[in-house]
Amino acid sequence: MTQVDTAPSNFIRNIIDSDLQSGKHQVIHTRFPPEPNGYLHIGHAKSICLNFGLAEDYPNALCNLRFDDTNPVKEDADYVAAIEKDVRWLGFKWAGDIHYSSDYFEQLYDFAVELIKKDKAYVCALDAQQTREYRGSLMTAGKDSPFRNRPTSESLDLFARMRAGEFAEGSMMLRAKIDMASPNMKMRDPVLYRIRFAHHHQTGDKWCIYPMYDFTHCISDALEGITHSLCTLEFEDHRPLYDWVLANISIACKPRQIEFSRLNLQYTLTSKRKLHALIEEEIISAWDDPRMPTISGMRRRGYPAAAIREFCKRIGVTKQENTVELASLEACVRENLEAHGPRAMAVLDPVKVIISNYDENKTEKLIAAVHPKDESMGTRTVTFSREIFIDRADFREEANKKYKRLVLGKEVRLRNAYVIKADQVIKDDAGEITEIHCSYDPETLGNNPTDGRKVKGVIHWVSAVENQAAEFRIYEPLFMVENPAGAENIHEVLNQNALVVKHGFVESGLSDAPAEKAYQFEREGYFCADNKDSSPERLVFNRTVALRDSWGG
RNA sequence: UGGGAUAUCGCCAAGCGGUAAGGCACCGGGUUUUGAUCUCGGCAUUCAGAGGUUCAAAUCCUCUUAUCCCAGCCA
């Protein structure tokens, strides 16, 4: 029997299971909290699949989509739209409306006032430089700010005036009063609010003070009734602060923060800041460049959402630092496309073949399966004619027995058509092959030669009289080193061949190939029409991933 | 030399005191009008290291080692 493919267990599911069993929670509630300061990438996909996956698997569970938008100078409404689209495309549904941390600015402000009144927070006028000095170092304790013990009434007044816009950016800030000698740097009177006279994409110019992440995130979680707040390892040190804030304000909900390790992928950058830089330096064209590890880049490249979900399932969730091999992601993509991609023939590097014993004025409509193993996908017709194109790599004037393609004087099977034999080669002055003259065996359509001749090789082809010209974009990893994030100079490790453009032909049936729809161009790989540059007048195909190649030649 | 974390096959990763799952990769055999797919088989006497507890340890205890994170008014 087919096993229902349940998500593999992981330490977070174990925690949830015991929380449910102990009665701590009846239902669980997670959230995916991106900051709208860039596009989502494969690393975010891991978090999305985790958080939304939990909500799908546990009874009545929910997952919110919340934009963590507390830093207006880095954020933009365009990113909000792109993120929303990517999450939906990945196949997930968030609970209710989209949330924004900025929805809670008023409540956040009130909680800040509460902390001040409890003498748990104070307005500090140290500048950035001084703040850093007072914080101390990893080895040495920090010093108390001279403003630390100002009366709460004074802080209350100052905080109100910060909000009113009376002070310049950087001149004042609200800080939690915790412990400047804490061995955990995050607990050394962390900044709660800073002044920013910046237009916010959601709240406009209503505010000139903005809450910091550590103050905002835990409260937003609590206000939304989040039970399990999942984040990456670098926030482990923030957890005491997360708990401190919720312990010191009047709020009942106490979500539990659990950290897991972020995904690192060979040959790729998974840092929004660094991806931003690639765009600014025009190394790639945009966030959705098919060479990008962004959700939109992978979509444009042809990666199915289901393949990305499967990948996230396979890599698991742990606290171990990890770097996943690219082959693992590609295996998921191939597995999906192998099953779902209609087959077609495309010649990427064409050379003309003339079948001398085939009638000059004749063409035939040959029937070919859309998928060799899935009859439900039907058949298609491909036009055969006296002149066809094959790939240059599929012909050699001489070759050893390992070469299973067309060789001068030998036979090869044309996929879905006849067996042909290469009789003669025509070259130009430069020695470049311009034509290969062949003869075909009319008895070999749909069956092997009756005289027992063994024809090993099969090559693909496209009619030279009925076809569609097409551009093919062949992609490779953007970087030549496994860990580009560790490179001292990113320019030195850039793969100059990350994009190679070829021009050739596809079956005429592909003239209306919809963008992003995956095809397998037999013996070449999986391709889809580009969602920006392809049109019926000018077909442009992106190679999603090559076929597995155990030959290597 | 402060604090927080992590160490199971090349890469991920189960395992939670009873004698090392699985996936990817790799290496063979078979099928094949895609050098694809599919299929069959191989792939950790060992769990960072050293001690200890136990009839029994990857799992418990000690110490050691390695790696990652933290000194933004970023998230």
Side-chain angles (χ1 to χ4, degrees), chain A residues 44 46 177 181 333 335 353 402 430 452 455 476 517 525 537:
Chain A
H44 296 106
K46 174 177 179 178
K177 188 186 282 193
V333 174
E335 187 175 296
V353 166
K402 282 187 176 172
V455 179
E476 276 181 28
K517 178 182 165 69
E537 295 71 42

Side-chain angles (χ1 to χ4, degrees), chain A residues 429-447:
Chain A
D429 295 341
E432 174 105 342
I433 296 171
T434 54
E435 291 175 0
I436 303 164
H437 289 235
C438 296
S439 47
Y440 86 116
D441 180 345
E443 305 304 315
T444 54
L445 184 63
N447 49 264

Side-chain angles (χ1 to χ4, degrees), chain A residues 37 41 74 270-278 280 287:
Chain A
N37 66 343
H41 55 64
K74 288 190 174 177
T270 42
S271 144
K272 262 195 259 182
R273 193 182 65 73
K274 287 174 178 167
L275 294 177
H276 239 301
L278 294 179
E280 271 157 23
W287 285 100

Side-chain angles (χ1 to χ4, degrees), chain A residues 85-321:
Chain A
K85 177 178 179 180
D86 288 346
V87 173
R88 199 178 282 126
W89 177 76
L90 269 178
F92 295 106
K93 279 195 66 182
W94 47 87
D97 295 332
I98 290 177
H99 298 257
Y100 294 86
S101 294
S102 54
D103 291 343
Y104 313 128
F105 279 176
E106 199 63 55
Q107 292 165 85
L108 257 359
Y109 180 85
D110 291 342
F111 283 125
V113 168
E114 181 184 352
L115 283 181
I116 298 171
K117 285 180 177 165
K118 288 177 171 170
D119 199 25
K120 299 282 188 183
Y122 61 98
V123 171
C124 179
L126 252 27
D127 65 27
Q129 163 82 350
Q130 293 169 318
T131 305
R132 196 179 320 122
E133 287 166 6
Y134 273 74
R135 189 150 36 224
S137 73
L138 297 178
M139 297 309 187
T140 59
K143 289 184 301 185
D144 285 359
S145 160
F147 304 99
R148 197 173 203 264
N149 291 313
R150 74 177 5 148
T152 61
S153 58
E154 200 174 307
S155 282
L156 241 21
D157 173 60
L158 257 14
F159 189 50
R161 290 164 63 191
M162 277 169 65
R163 176 178 182 171
E166 290 186 27
F167 307 116
E169 284 188 11
S171 64
M172 297 272 179
M173 59 185 163
L174 183 73
R175 302 178 73 177
K177 188 186 282 193
I178 307 180
D179 177 10
M180 288 307 290
S182 171
N184 180 347
M185 300 294 287
K186 294 292 180 240
M187 298 298 269
R188 320 246 264 225
D189 288 12
V191 177
L192 266 23
Y193 268 89
R194 76 288 215 186
I195 299 170
R196 283 290 111 93
F197 289 94
H199 185 83
H200 188 286
H201 52 99
Q202 301 300 321
T203 60
D205 297 312
K206 184 176 180 194
W207 295 86
C208 63
I209 56 171
Y210 291 94
M212 299 288 289
Y213 166 84
D214 286 305
F215 184 65
T216 309
H217 204 90
C218 53
I219 295 175
S220 301
D221 281 344
L223 290 172
E224 292 178 16
I226 301 303
T227 55
H228 301 268
S229 179
L230 315 180
C231 62
T232 45
L233 252 29
E234 64 269 29
F235 290 98
E236 279 172 326
D237 290 345
H238 298 238
R239 184 162 15 101
L241 179 51
Y242 184 105
D243 294 337
W244 183 92
V245 170
L246 295 183
N248 286 286
I249 62 173
S250 303
I251 200 161
C253 181
K254 311 286 184 195
R256 199 231 275 215
Q257 174 179 308
I258 304 170
E259 311 85 14
F260 62 94
S261 53
R262 57 186 301 153
L263 164 70
N264 295 294
L265 229 206
Q266 279 187 343
Y267 302 103
T268 100
L269 246 26
T270 42
S271 144
K272 262 195 259 182
R273 193 182 65 73
K274 287 174 178 167
L275 294 177
H276 239 301
L278 294 179
I279 295 168
E280 271 157 23
E281 296 180 39
E282 297 183 344
I283 290 168
I284 44 90
S285 63
W287 285 100
D288 68 348
D289 187 299
R291 289 166 293 183
M292 288 285 268
T294 50
I295 306 290
S296 56
M298 293 188 286
R299 173 169 64 232
R300 187 173 171 190
R301 171 97 169 242
Y303 284 22
I308 295 171
R309 277 187 257 121
E310 173 64 19
F311 173 70
C312 291
K313 190 159 93 183
R314 289 185 191 182
I315 59 175
V317 178
T318 68
K319 295 182 75 117
Q320 272 152 260
E321 295 287 339

Side-chain angles (χ1 to χ4, degrees), chain A residues 233-512:
Chain A
L233 252 29
E234 64 269 29
F235 290 98
E236 279 172 326
D237 290 345
H238 298 238
R239 184 162 15 101
L241 179 51
Y242 184 105
D243 294 337
W244 183 92
V245 170
L246 295 183
N248 286 286
I249 62 173
S250 303
I251 200 161
C253 181
K254 311 286 184 195
R256 199 231 275 215
Q257 174 179 308
I258 304 170
E259 311 85 14
F260 62 94
S261 53
R262 57 186 301 153
L263 164 70
N264 295 294
L265 229 206
Q266 279 187 343
Y267 302 103
T268 100
L269 246 26
T270 42
S271 144
K272 262 195 259 182
R273 193 182 65 73
K274 287 174 178 167
L275 294 177
H276 239 301
L278 294 179
I279 295 168
E280 271 157 23
E281 296 180 39
E282 297 183 344
I283 290 168
I284 44 90
S285 63
W287 285 100
D288 68 348
D289 187 299
R291 289 166 293 183
M292 288 285 268
T294 50
I295 306 290
S296 56
M298 293 188 286
R299 173 169 64 232
R300 187 173 171 190
R301 171 97 169 242
Y303 284 22
I308 295 171
R309 277 187 257 121
E310 173 64 19
F311 173 70
C312 291
K313 190 159 93 183
R314 289 185 191 182
I315 59 175
V317 178
T318 68
K319 295 182 75 117
Q320 272 152 260
E321 295 287 339
N322 62 83
T323 302
V324 177
E325 291 176 336
L326 207 48
S328 188
L329 208 208
E330 291 181 337
C332 295
V333 174
R334 287 196 187 100
E335 187 175 296
N336 181 288
L337 265 22
E338 156 62 28
H340 304 297
R343 308 295 131 115
M345 294 194 286
V347 175
L348 279 59
D349 182 15
V351 60
K352 187 170 281 187
V353 166
I354 296 171
I355 300 160
S356 42
N357 61 338
Y358 193 88
D359 192 327
E360 210 163 332
N361 302 310
K362 183 180 172 186
T363 60
E364 281 179 274
K365 299 288 186 191
L366 305 180
I367 307 296
V370 172
H371 190 110
K373 299 185 155 177
D374 186 352
E375 282 186 29
S376 73
M377 291 175 79
T379 58
R380 67 190 202 272
T381 61
V382 288
T383 303
F384 189 74
S385 52
R386 174 182 161 93
E387 296 194 0
I388 61 172
F389 293 114
I390 65 168
D391 197 280
R392 283 188 182 276
D394 286 339
F395 174 76
R396 284 187 192 174
E397 291 182 74
E398 44 190 87
N400 60 29
K401 290 192 184 60
K402 282 187 176 172
Y403 185 81
K404 303 198 301 180
R405 310 178 190 179
L406 185 61
V407 177
L408 190 59
K410 306 263 176 56
E411 289 183 305
V412 79
R413 157 75 62 182
L414 288 177
R415 176 75 168 152
N416 299 127
Y418 303 94
V419 168
I420 58 170
K421 179 180 173 187
D423 303 316
Q424 190 193 173
V425 180
I426 310 294
K427 297 180 184 176
D428 62 15
D429 295 341
E432 174 105 342
I433 296 171
T434 54
E435 291 175 0
I436 303 164
H437 289 235
C438 296
S439 47
Y440 86 116
D441 180 345
E443 305 304 315
T444 54
L445 184 63
N447 49 264
N448 289 320
T450 47
D451 62 3
R453 274 153 42 230
K454 290 280 180 270
V455 179
K456 257 307 224 185
V458 181
I459 63 173
H460 60 283
W461 54 277
V462 169
S463 166
V465 297
E466 199 177 310
N467 61 43
Q468 290 287 326
E471 173 177 319
F472 303 95
R473 296 177 180 173
I474 309 302
Y475 300 103
E476 276 181 28
L478 238 194
F479 302 100
M480 297 183 294
V481 295
E482 287 181 11
N483 178 24
E488 54 308 314
N489 180 352
I490 206 73
H491 298 91
E492 287 173 5
V493 298
L494 272 175
N495 178 6
Q496 300 301 331
N497 296 317
L499 168 60
V500 173
V501 177
K502 298 187 175 194
H503 293 276
F505 304 93
V506 296
E507 292 177 18
S508 43
L510 262 51
S511 59
D512 56 355

